[in-house]
Amino acid sequence: MSSVAVTAQTAGEGAAKVAARRRAKRSRGSTNRRASWIVYALLGITLLISVFPLYFTLLLGSSEPIAISQNPVPQWLPDLSLFTQFRTVIESTQINFWLALTNSLIIAVVVSVAVVLFSTLAGYSFAKLRFRGRGPLLVFVIATMAVPTQLGVIPMYILMSDLGWIGKLEAVIVPSLVAAFGVFWMTQYLSEALPYELIEAARVDGASMIRTFWSIALPAARPAAAMLGLFTFVQQWTNFFWPSIVLSSSNPTLPIVVKSLQANYFVDYSLVMGGVFLVTLPLLVIFAVVGKQLVAGIMQGAVKG
């Protein structure tokens, strides 16, 4: 090969290397580029809209009933009288706050654990197992999400009455042990995040179906399962419709207790709003403590998938 050809080849390789460096630099620059002010403005507006109901609840909870009736916005900043409302709600003889708190905690924890476990099992089956009727069954599960909850209230109430569960926590816990949304959520996540190669490797090593699920599928589903558990916990903690039907005032949950704070002819909005914020406070603490870790886990799982 002549020296000219060698020089041309060397120059071509050098140009290719330079072009590759420029592309890599542009790629790093686009990755590290900060979001524009429009994005921050939209996020700020969304944050204000989300926080405003909580802020307004604090204002009403720390105001006097007369001031609320005279002015829709009696003050602009909450004061320490809000803690007086908290104490009134907790020590009220009209309601049993601690029993309601215990009932809400039992229902939310048990239902969340059950929904995560059963949804992960069903999602693993629909996503990674091959069996007859898998597609129609999954479509049927998803279709149940379109059925309004109110349509099943009367048959469900009759069933709970026949079982003797009216007024008991079982009437709230048992119908909520499985959620169609949870099955769909875990099916979609595991279909992308769990490779078939890991399942086949576990089978080659002699692992049973349950062992494969426990050691391979469950760790892979942990980020999505944590987020599903959080969503389910919040839903059950704030659930009012079904517990208000099957539970009595002697065995209530927290939303029922807040409803019981209203009198027949006069509504003390400051007391009611204080109770609403007191019920919401545990959820705020949970989001503040574990929210960042849950979002990080979801993003990590998405990148791995």
Side-chain angles (χ1 to χ4, degrees):
M1 183 181 295
S2 64
S3 59
V4 177
V6 173
T7 304
Q9 182 179 3
T10 305
E13 293 176 354
K17 292 180 180 179
V18 172
R21 292 196 196 99
R22 289 178 179 176
R23 286 194 298 269
K25 187 176 181 180
R26 283 197 298 267
S27 177
R28 288 194 299 268
S30 61
T31 303
N32 298 328
R33 185 174 56 189
R34 299 182 61 182
S36 64
W37 64 271
I38 299 178
V39 176
Y40 287 108
L42 293 176
L43 291 176
I45 294 173
T46 304
L47 178 63
L48 290 177
I49 295 175
S50 303
V51 172
F52 179 77
L54 184 62
Y55 165 73
F56 197 68
T57 301
L58 287 175
L59 291 184
L60 296 181
S62 58
S63 304
E64 295 294 331
I66 299 178
I68 295 175
S69 61
Q70 294 176 352
N71 188 355
V73 186
Q75 57 189 22
W76 291 102
L77 292 176
D79 53 34
L80 296 179
S81 62
L82 181 65
F83 294 96
T84 304
Q85 303 293 351
F86 290 167
R87 183 176 179 181
T88 303
V89 172
I90 294 174
E91 298 179 352
S92 175
T93 58
Q94 181 182 355
I95 60 176
N96 193 336
F97 178 81
W98 295 113
L99 176 61
L101 177 63
T102 303
N103 290 342
S104 293
L105 189 62
I106 292 174
I107 292 173
V109 171
V110 172
V111 172
S112 299
V113 173
V115 166
V116 168
L117 178 61
F118 293 142
S119 297
T120 307
L121 279 167
Y124 172 71
S125 301
F126 283 125
K128 297 301 175 181
L129 300 184
R130 296 290 181 264
F131 56 91
R132 183 175 299 177
R134 183 185 66 163
L137 283 176
L138 181 59
V139 172
F140 175 77
V141 171
I142 297 174
T144 59
M145 298 170 58
V147 179
T149 306
Q150 292 77 6
L151 292 180
V153 169
I154 296 177
M156 188 66 68
Y157 184 87
I158 295 174
L159 178 61
M160 296 298 108
S161 179
D162 293 339
L163 293 174
W165 288 353
I166 298 298
K168 299 181 180 179
L169 298 184
E170 291 88 339
V172 180
I173 294 175
V174 174
S176 304
L177 292 179
V178 181
F181 172 76
V183 175
F184 174 73
W185 171 273
M186 298 308 300
T187 300
Q188 293 298 109
Y189 184 85
L190 288 175
S191 62
E192 298 292 336
L194 182 60
Y196 277 106
E197 289 78 9
L198 292 179
I199 300 175
E200 295 298 332
R203 291 175 178 174
V204 169
D205 291 339
S208 62
M209 185 68 67
I210 299 299
R211 182 59 184 273
T212 302
F213 169 79
W214 187 262
S215 302
I216 303 298
L218 199 58
R222 190 176 300 165
M227 190 61 70
L228 176 62
L230 180 61
F231 288 160
T232 306
F233 186 92
V234 173
Q235 180 186 10
Q236 294 299 320
W237 186 269
T238 59
N239 188 16
F240 173 77
F241 178 70
W242 179 244
S244 65
I245 296 176
V246 295
L247 296 182
S248 60
S249 58
S250 60
N251 192 30
T253 58
L254 286 177
I256 299 177
V257 161
V258 173
K259 178 66 171 59
S260 301
L261 293 174
Q262 302 182 15
N264 293 329
Y265 301 101
F266 174 73
V267 179
D268 188 349
Y269 287 104
S270 61
L271 183 63
V272 173
M273 291 298 104
V276 169
F277 186 80
L278 190 62
V279 171
T280 311
L281 189 60
L283 300 181
L284 299 177
V285 173
I286 291 175
F287 274 104
V289 173
V290 303
K292 185 176 180 180
Q293 289 78 6
L294 288 174
V295 174
I298 285 290
M299 295 304 296
Q300 181 182 4
V303 171
K304 288 182 178 180

